[in-house]
Amino acid sequence: MSYSVGQVSAFAGVTVRTLHHYDKAGLLSPGDRSHAGYRLYSDADLVRLQQILFYRELGFPLDEIAAILRDPLSNAVEHLRARQRQLSEEIARLQRLAEVAERAIEVQQTGVPLTPRERFDVFGEITFDLSYATEAELKWARSEGQRESMARAAAHTKDDWRQLMGEAAAWRAELLAAFDEGEPYDGERAMDLAEEHRLHISRWFTSCPPDMHRRIADDFGPDPRAFALVVPSSQQRSGLAAYTCKAVHANAARHAVGRTGPEETR
C-alpha cells in the first residue's frame, strides 16, 4: 500500500517540510511516485520513518541516524549505549538546575526586608551574589549549620544588620591594617583576627567550629564572590584573600593544639 506525503505527515505527526528534508538528505526517500510525480511512501518507508523518529526523539543528529540505519546490527547498540550515557548525564545536569532554581527561590525569599536605599545604608559595598548564595545553599544543603544560618539571617532586624555590619567593618579595617603592615598570616595578630571572624559568624549566624571556618575560608581564593562578602572589591589587595585564608588555617591549627580562643557567644 502506498501513502502520499500528506497522509504520512498526518498520521506520523511530522510536517511535510520535514519529510521533504529527510528526502533531500537521503535519509528517507519514498520508494515510489504517483503518475503526477508526487512522492508515495510504502509500508517499508513507514517502518524506516518510525526508526528515524525514534532516534530523533533520543536526540541523535541526522547524520548519525543515517549511519545507524545503513548498518543497524553493527551500530545501533553501540550508538544507543553512548546516547544512554549522554542522556543520564543530561538528566543529572537538569536535576541540578532544578535544585538550583528551587534554592534560588528560597534564597531570594529569605532576603532582608529592606528598601534599596536601606540596603545600601546597611550593607554599603558588600553585595550578596545570588548565584553564589544559591551554590552555597547546594554545597551546604545537608548542613544543620546552613539551615540555622539561613533561619537566623531571615530573623535579623534592620538594627541587627546594622550592628553586625558595623562589627564586620571594624574587623575588616583591622585586617587590612595587619595585611598592609606586613603582619605574618600565622602571627598572633592575624590569627586573632581570624578568630574574631569565626566568633562573628557564630554570634550572628551559626556555630562555626575551626574546621568549618577553614572550609569557608577555602572559598576565598578560588571564588571572588565569597571573599567579596568579607572584603568588598574596592578594598581588596592582591594576595589578601590568600592571606586571610592562611590566617584562618593557622588559627584552626592553633585550636587543634589546645590553644583555644575566647568562649564563643551568640
Side-chain angles (χ1 to χ4, degrees):
M1 187 170 180
S2 297
Y3 307 89
S4 69
V5 66
Q7 289 175 310
V8 174
S9 171
F11 57 64
V14 296
T15 66
V16 170
R17 183 177 181 180
T18 296
L19 292 172
H20 288 173
H21 178 65
Y22 289 168
D23 188 4
K24 290 179 181 178
L27 192 60
L28 178 64
S29 297
D32 202 359
R33 294 268 176 172
S34 69
H35 293 297
Y38 293 109
R39 296 173 176 85
L40 292 177
Y41 293 83
S42 66
D43 289 333
D45 293 329
L46 295 185
V47 170
R48 186 178 177 89
L49 177 59
Q50 280 187 317
Q51 292 176 308
I52 293 168
L53 295 179
F54 168 72
Y55 288 116
R56 286 296 288 158
E57 184 68 19
L58 290 177
F60 283 93
L62 293 183
D63 58 347
E64 196 167 346
I65 295 174
I68 295 171
L69 295 181
R70 277 197 300 270
D71 193 0
L73 293 179
S74 63
N75 287 299
V77 173
E78 179 183 344
H79 283 276
L80 285 169
R81 282 176 177 163
R83 187 56 184 160
Q84 181 186 39
R85 288 193 296 271
Q86 293 170 358
L87 289 172
S88 296
E89 292 171 1
E90 181 67 6
I91 289 169
R93 186 184 73 84
L94 291 173
Q95 181 61 42
R96 178 172 175 80
L97 285 177
E99 292 175 4
V100 168
E102 182 180 354
R103 294 294 183 182
I105 292 169
E106 293 176 5
V107 171
Q108 191 77 292
Q109 291 176 338
T110 316
V112 185
L114 301 176
T115 66
R117 184 180 183 86
E118 288 175 327
R119 184 176 290 272
F120 181 80
D121 289 343
V122 171
F123 296 111
E125 294 182 74
I126 296 293
T127 58
F128 292 82
D129 188 304
L130 179 60
S131 63
Y132 175 72
T134 301
E135 288 172 19
E137 270 285 285
L138 289 172
K139 180 178 180 180
W140 303 95
R142 293 186 174 88
S143 165
E144 179 63 34
Q146 174 69 5
R147 290 191 291 272
E148 180 187 6
S149 178
M150 294 296 292
R152 292 181 64 189
H156 288 337
T157 66
K158 183 168 68 175
D159 288 339
D160 289 334
W161 283 104
R162 287 188 187 278
Q163 183 178 345
L164 79 87
M165 294 303 291
E167 290 179 7
W171 172 85
R172 188 162 56 248
E174 291 293 329
L175 173 70
L176 293 172
F179 180 78
D180 291 342
E181 292 166 18
E183 289 284 343
Y185 69 84
D186 54 355
E188 291 291 326
R189 185 177 176 187
M191 287 192 292
D192 286 348
L193 283 167
E195 178 67 6
E196 286 182 31
H197 184 257
R198 185 180 74 84
L199 295 180
H200 176 84
I201 295 172
S202 294
R203 186 161 52 250
W204 290 104
F205 298 102
T206 185
S207 178
C208 184
D211 282 349
M212 177 186 286
H213 196 212
R214 197 167 52 211
R215 291 196 298 274
I216 291 171
D218 284 340
D219 282 344
F220 291 169
D223 195 333
R225 299 170 302 174
F227 194 56
L229 294 176
V230 180
V231 179
S233 299
S234 65
Q235 297 180 33
Q236 291 181 15
R237 283 89 158 130
S238 177
L240 180 62
Y243 174 86
T244 307
C245 179
K246 289 178 180 178
V248 168
H249 276 256
N251 183 57
R254 177 170 62 169
H255 279 267
V257 295
R259 295 179 59 193
T260 57
E263 182 179 357
E264 292 185 14
T265 59
R266 289 200 176 183

